[in-house]
Protein backbone atom coordinates (compact mmCIF):
# COMPACT_ATOMS: atom_id res chain seq x y z
CA UNK A 1 0.00 0.00 0.00
CA UNK A 2 1.33 3.41 -1.02
CA UNK A 3 0.26 6.77 0.43
CA UNK A 4 0.42 9.78 -1.86
CA UNK A 5 -0.90 13.31 -2.12
CA UNK A 6 -2.58 14.87 -5.13
CA UNK A 7 -3.30 18.59 -5.30
CA UNK A 8 -5.23 20.73 -7.74
CA UNK A 9 -3.81 24.24 -7.51
CA UNK A 10 -6.19 26.91 -8.78
CA UNK A 11 -5.37 30.36 -10.17
CA UNK A 12 -8.65 32.06 -11.07
CA UNK A 13 -10.39 29.66 -13.46
CA UNK A 14 -7.18 27.78 -14.32
CA UNK A 15 -5.57 24.75 -12.69
CA UNK A 16 -1.91 23.84 -12.64
CA UNK A 17 -1.59 20.47 -14.36
CA UNK A 18 1.36 18.16 -14.89
CA UNK A 19 1.64 16.33 -18.21
CA UNK A 20 3.57 13.19 -17.21
CA UNK A 21 5.95 12.66 -20.12
CA UNK A 22 9.45 12.49 -18.58
CA UNK A 23 9.64 9.46 -16.23
CA UNK A 24 10.35 5.86 -17.23
CA UNK A 25 7.86 3.13 -16.19
CA UNK A 26 5.38 5.79 -15.04
CA UNK A 27 1.91 4.77 -13.86
CA UNK A 28 0.70 8.17 -15.14
CA UNK A 29 2.63 8.16 -18.45
CA UNK A 30 1.14 10.63 -20.97
CA UNK A 31 -1.71 11.59 -18.60
CA UNK A 32 -2.39 15.02 -17.16
CA UNK A 33 -2.65 15.01 -13.36
CA UNK A 34 -2.53 17.36 -10.41
CA UNK A 35 0.62 17.88 -8.34
CA UNK A 36 1.77 15.41 -5.72
CA UNK A 37 3.75 12.34 -4.84
CA UNK A 38 4.63 9.65 -2.34
CA UNK A 39 4.84 10.11 1.42
CA UNK A 40 8.22 9.94 3.09
CA UNK A 41 8.58 8.22 6.46
CA UNK A 42 6.90 10.12 9.32
CA UNK A 43 5.12 12.59 6.99
CA UNK A 44 1.51 13.62 7.47
CA UNK A 45 -0.65 14.24 4.40
CA UNK A 46 -0.02 17.98 4.82
CA UNK A 47 3.76 17.50 5.18
CA UNK A 48 3.83 15.46 1.97
CA UNK A 49 1.60 17.94 0.14
CA UNK A 50 3.73 20.96 0.97
CA UNK A 51 7.02 19.20 0.19
CA UNK A 52 5.86 17.66 -3.10
CA UNK A 53 4.30 20.89 -4.39
CA UNK A 54 7.46 22.85 -3.68
CA UNK A 55 9.75 20.14 -5.14
CA UNK A 56 7.72 19.71 -8.33
CA UNK A 57 6.63 23.29 -8.99
CA UNK A 58 8.73 25.73 -6.95
CA UNK A 59 5.52 27.07 -5.40
CA UNK A 60 4.88 27.33 -1.65
CA UNK A 61 1.24 26.78 -0.72
CA UNK A 62 -0.32 29.39 1.57
CA UNK A 63 -3.98 28.30 1.39
CA UNK A 64 -5.08 24.69 0.84
CA UNK A 65 -7.88 22.31 1.79
CA UNK A 66 -7.94 18.55 2.40
CA UNK A 67 -10.84 17.29 0.23
CA UNK A 68 -10.91 13.51 0.47
CA UNK A 69 -9.18 10.16 0.13
CA UNK A 70 -9.12 8.30 -3.19
CA UNK A 71 -8.30 4.60 -3.01
CA UNK A 72 -6.73 3.66 -6.34
CA UNK A 73 -6.88 -0.08 -7.10
CA UNK A 74 -5.29 -1.48 -10.25
CA UNK A 75 -4.56 -4.85 -11.80
CA UNK A 76 -1.14 -3.45 -12.80
CA UNK A 77 0.00 -1.25 -9.92
CA UNK A 78 0.09 -1.39 -6.09
CA UNK A 79 -2.94 -0.09 -4.20
CA UNK A 80 -2.62 3.60 -3.43
CA UNK A 81 -4.31 5.92 -0.95
CA UNK A 82 -4.31 9.37 -2.59
CA UNK A 83 -4.91 12.19 -0.14
CA UNK A 84 -6.65 14.78 -2.31
CA UNK A 85 -6.20 18.52 -1.79
CA UNK A 86 -7.08 21.75 -3.51
CA UNK A 87 -5.12 24.97 -3.12
CA UNK A 88 -6.01 28.57 -3.87
CA UNK A 89 -3.05 30.40 -2.39
CA UNK A 90 0.66 30.18 -3.14
CA UNK A 91 3.85 32.17 -3.47
CA UNK A 92 6.88 31.67 -5.67
CA UNK A 93 7.56 31.14 -9.34
CA UNK A 94 7.04 27.99 -11.41
CA UNK A 95 10.14 25.99 -12.19
CA UNK A 96 10.77 23.09 -14.57
CA UNK A 97 9.58 19.73 -13.29
CA UNK A 98 11.63 16.57 -13.82
CA UNK A 99 8.45 14.43 -14.03
CA UNK A 100 6.69 16.26 -16.85
CA UNK A 101 5.52 19.58 -18.22
CA UNK A 102 3.63 22.02 -15.97
CA UNK A 103 0.88 24.10 -17.55
CA UNK A 104 -1.98 26.29 -16.33
CA UNK A 105 -5.14 25.03 -18.04
CA UNK A 106 -8.70 26.39 -17.99
CA UNK A 107 -11.06 24.31 -15.86
CA UNK A 108 -13.25 23.47 -18.87
CA UNK A 109 -10.28 21.73 -20.57
CA UNK A 110 -9.40 19.34 -17.72
CA UNK A 111 -11.74 16.58 -18.86
CA UNK A 112 -10.71 16.95 -22.52
CA UNK A 113 -7.05 16.03 -22.00
CA UNK A 114 -5.70 12.50 -21.34
CA UNK A 115 -6.56 11.63 -17.72
CA UNK A 116 -7.66 8.72 -15.56
CA UNK A 117 -11.43 8.18 -15.94
CA UNK A 118 -11.94 8.35 -12.17
CA UNK A 119 -10.43 11.84 -12.05
CA UNK A 120 -13.69 13.15 -13.55
CA UNK A 121 -15.55 11.88 -10.48
CA UNK A 122 -13.41 13.63 -7.89
CA UNK A 123 -13.01 16.77 -9.98
CA UNK A 124 -16.80 17.03 -10.10
CA UNK A 125 -16.92 16.62 -6.30
CA UNK A 126 -14.32 19.37 -5.91
CA UNK A 127 -16.13 21.70 -8.31
CA UNK A 128 -19.43 21.12 -6.48
CA UNK A 129 -17.65 21.81 -3.16
CA UNK A 130 -18.74 18.41 -1.78
CA UNK A 131 -17.90 17.64 1.85
CA UNK A 132 -14.91 15.41 2.67
CA UNK A 133 -15.29 12.13 0.78
CA UNK A 134 -13.89 8.65 0.30
CA UNK A 135 -13.75 7.44 -3.30
CA UNK A 136 -12.54 4.02 -4.43
CA UNK A 137 -11.66 3.64 -8.10
CA UNK A 138 -10.84 0.21 -9.51
CA UNK A 139 -9.03 -0.12 -12.83
CA UNK A 140 -8.44 -2.92 -15.28
CA UNK A 141 -5.57 -1.54 -17.30
CA UNK A 142 -6.51 2.09 -18.03
CA UNK A 143 -10.26 1.33 -17.91
CA UNK A 144 -12.33 2.30 -14.87
CA UNK A 145 -14.08 -0.93 -13.84
CA UNK A 146 -15.79 0.31 -10.66
CA UNK A 147 -16.18 3.45 -8.57
CA UNK A 148 -17.50 3.55 -5.02
CA UNK A 149 -18.23 6.91 -3.37
CA UNK A 150 -18.67 6.93 0.42
CA UNK A 151 -19.53 3.22 0.34
CA UNK A 152 -22.04 3.40 -2.52
CA UNK A 153 -21.33 1.97 -5.97
CA UNK A 154 -21.67 4.63 -8.65
CA UNK A 155 -23.66 3.78 -11.75
CA UNK A 156 -21.46 3.70 -14.87
CA UNK A 157 -22.04 6.65 -17.20
Amino acid sequence: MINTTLCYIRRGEEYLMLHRVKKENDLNKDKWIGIGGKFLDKESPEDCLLREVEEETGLVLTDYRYRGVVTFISDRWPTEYMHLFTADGFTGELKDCDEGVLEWLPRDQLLNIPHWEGDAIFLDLIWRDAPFFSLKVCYQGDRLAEAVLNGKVLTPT
Side-chain angles (χ1 to χ4, degrees):
M1 178 96 48
I2 298 169
N3 275 287
T4 63
T5 56
L6 184 63
C7 185
Y8 286 85
I9 302 171
R10 186 170 67 97
R11 179 181 73 181
E13 290 302 311
E14 296 179 316
Y15 285 84
L16 183 59
M17 300 298 291
L18 176 59
H19 191 198
R20 296 288 292 252
V21 293
K22 293 184 181 178
K23 282 178 69 174
E24 293 293 319
N25 194 29
D26 187 358
L27 155 79
N28 295 301
K29 180 137 182 76
D30 296 327
K31 291 187 171 41
W32 290 82
I33 63 170
I35 309 303
K38 295 177 186 168
F39 280 44
L40 297 178
D41 187 41
K42 298 181 178 60
E43 280 189 322
S44 69
E46 293 81 4
D47 293 336
C48 181
L49 165 74
L50 295 171
R51 178 184 54 77
E52 284 285 348
V53 167
E54 188 169 5
E55 284 178 4
E56 291 185 2
T57 70
L59 302 177
V60 175
L61 296 183
T62 59
D63 186 22
Y64 58 88
R65 182 171 158 201
Y66 195 177
R67 304 304 295 266
V69 176
V70 180
T71 305
F72 178 90
I73 298 172
S74 167
D75 61 353
R76 295 183 185 166
W77 305 94
T79 298
E80 182 177 332
Y81 284 151
M82 294 185 294
H83 300 264
L84 184 64
F85 290 84
T86 55
D88 293 303
F90 55 87
T91 61
E93 297 294 323
L94 277 184
K95 66 175 192 169
D96 286 339
C97 179
D98 62 3
E99 296 182 8
V101 177
L102 293 166
E103 191 172 337
W104 290 102
L105 296 176
R107 174 181 148 168
D108 62 4
Q109 286 186 19
L110 298 191
L111 299 180
N112 297 324
I113 54 180
H115 63 280
W116 290 100
E117 287 179 70
D119 293 8
I121 298 169
F122 63 71
L123 285 170
D124 178 63
L125 293 167
I126 289 169
W127 295 336
R128 290 189 292 117
D129 200 26
F132 193 89
F133 59 86
S134 174
L135 174 66
K136 180 171 81 171
V137 289
C138 304
Y139 286 88
Q140 293 174 348
D142 281 356
R143 186 183 69 77
L144 182 62
E146 182 181 52
V148 180
L149 178 61
N150 297 327
K152 295 181 183 167
V153 176
L154 298 177
T155 308
T157 55

